[in-house]
Amino acid sequence: MTDNHDRGLQFDLATLIGRRRALSLLGGAGLTLVACAPSTTTSSTPTSNSTSAAGTTAAGSPMEAIPEETAGPFPGDGSNGPNALTQSGIVRSDIRSSFGSSTRTAEGVPLTIELTVQKEDGTPYAGAALYLWHCDINGDYSMYSDRVKNENFLRGVQEADSSGKLKFVSVFPGAYAGRWPHAHFEVYPSLAEATKAGDDVTTSQLAFPEATCKEVYGTAGYTQSVQNMSRTPLARDMVFRDGTEHQMATMSGNVQSGYTASLTFAVKS
């Protein structure tokens, strides 16, 4: 059975009709996906990397709200099948392992994701809750894809502190056919609203810079990601082709010690 990852607008409209939020979607054809070969990640020779994201605004500065994007067909928020948000254990910073009945840990190059959530006027969105999820090294989504259907790793919720900051410890996601490497997230007004899968403030996606992706995908376990990323460049990605000014992460680190992806973004007040 072939897993259906984010295959574009037509697929999303067919599978996500009836979601509690209305998304502003662009036209696009469905995309056919190929399976990624599983393997074990090993570190390559360390190389330093520091990639700045053009358009990223410092915390405390007024900025436009991050674009609203599709959550894709594998949100795990109860709007399309399984719901991770109401499960005990979903509120965590380290999302590498499954929680509950499984303790399997996702493989991959270490990645820390540091986000700062603010309002359009630049004030911190203190107390906001952010639900983040992304695919694994093989391009599979836990709770949905056949190989990891019984897992719930690479999903978690964190509450923003008084400065609007929060952090996740994860692994670098693979690239699957039809999409540029990315992570999904939903912002909720409070932790209570998030953990009851209530109404979110915004749904968007985080993009990873090409230079970092190439370094990561040069390590063991990410072989298929090299081909998948080359077939769908950023300029043709269904979500990011209209620009990534407010969605491109700033990166630091290397393949041996791991990377940190940082992004400051605003949501509509």
Side-chain angles (χ1 to χ4, degrees):
M1 175 179 177
T2 301
D3 293 323
N4 297 318
H5 297 301
D6 295 349
R7 302 196 312 179
L9 172 61
Q10 293 178 352
F11 184 82
D12 287 344
L13 287 177
T15 55
L16 301 185
I17 188 75
R19 287 180 61 85
R20 61 179 177 272
R21 52 190 170 271
L23 302 177
S24 176
L25 300 175
L26 298 173
L31 299 171
T32 302
L33 305 183
V34 296
C36 302
S39 185
T40 302
T41 301
T42 57
S43 298
S44 65
T45 303
T47 57
S48 62
N49 179 72
S50 181
T51 305
S52 297
T56 298
T57 305
S61 301
M63 63 188 301
E64 292 181 8
I66 194 167
E68 183 89 359
E69 307 289 7
T70 174
F74 307 109
D77 61 2
S79 61
N80 187 40
N83 192 343
L85 289 175
T86 56
Q87 295 181 17
S88 175
I90 189 63
V91 181
R92 66 222 183 108
S93 179
D94 190 336
I95 62 174
R96 291 173 295 182
S97 298
S98 290
F99 57 90
S101 60
S102 176
T103 57
R104 180 176 166 185
T105 299
E107 300 173 341
V109 171
L111 173 68
T112 298
I113 301 175
E114 297 180 344
L115 302 174
T116 301
V117 190
Q118 64 180 48
K119 299 179 181 179
E120 291 174 288
D121 62 2
T123 57
Y125 201 155
L130 189 143
Y131 168 44
L132 181 138
W133 73 98
H134 62 76
C135 70
D136 67 8
I137 192 173
N138 298 312
D140 293 327
Y141 281 89
S142 66
M143 303 179 74
Y144 292 90
S145 305
D146 286 346
R147 285 180 287 195
V148 291
K149 190 171 185 178
N150 296 322
E151 307 298 331
N152 51 25
F153 54 47
L154 307 183
R155 298 178 183 273
V157 173
Q158 278 290 283
E159 183 179 25
D161 65 14
S162 60
S163 299
K165 297 181 181 296
L166 51 91
K167 179 174 71 174
F168 294 94
V169 177
S170 191
V171 295
F172 205 93
Y176 52 84
R179 284 303 316 276
W180 184 262
H182 64 284
H184 296 265
F185 62 87
E186 295 172 344
V187 178
Y188 291 82
S190 67
L191 191 61
E193 195 70 18
T195 53
K196 72 176 184 180
D199 293 328
D200 63 347
V201 175
T202 194
T203 301
S204 196
Q205 298 185 25
L206 174 73
F208 296 101
E210 182 175 6
T212 305
C213 293
K214 286 183 175 179
E215 289 178 0
V216 173
Y217 296 163
T219 65
Y222 288 97
T223 304
Q224 189 63 49
S225 292
V226 176
Q227 297 179 14
N228 289 336
M229 188 175 74
S230 67
R231 291 168 181 160
T232 307
L234 194 60
R236 292 211 306 265
D237 181 83
M238 61 163 283
V239 170
F240 302 129
R241 62 189 175 195
D242 59 349
T244 58
E245 180 183 2
H246 301 301
Q247 296 167 289
M248 182 62 72
T250 297
M251 305 296 302
S252 62
N254 56 63
V255 294
Q256 183 169 358
S257 61
Y259 292 88
T260 296
S262 303
L263 183 70
T264 295
F265 66 93
V267 297
K268 292 182 178 180
S269 303

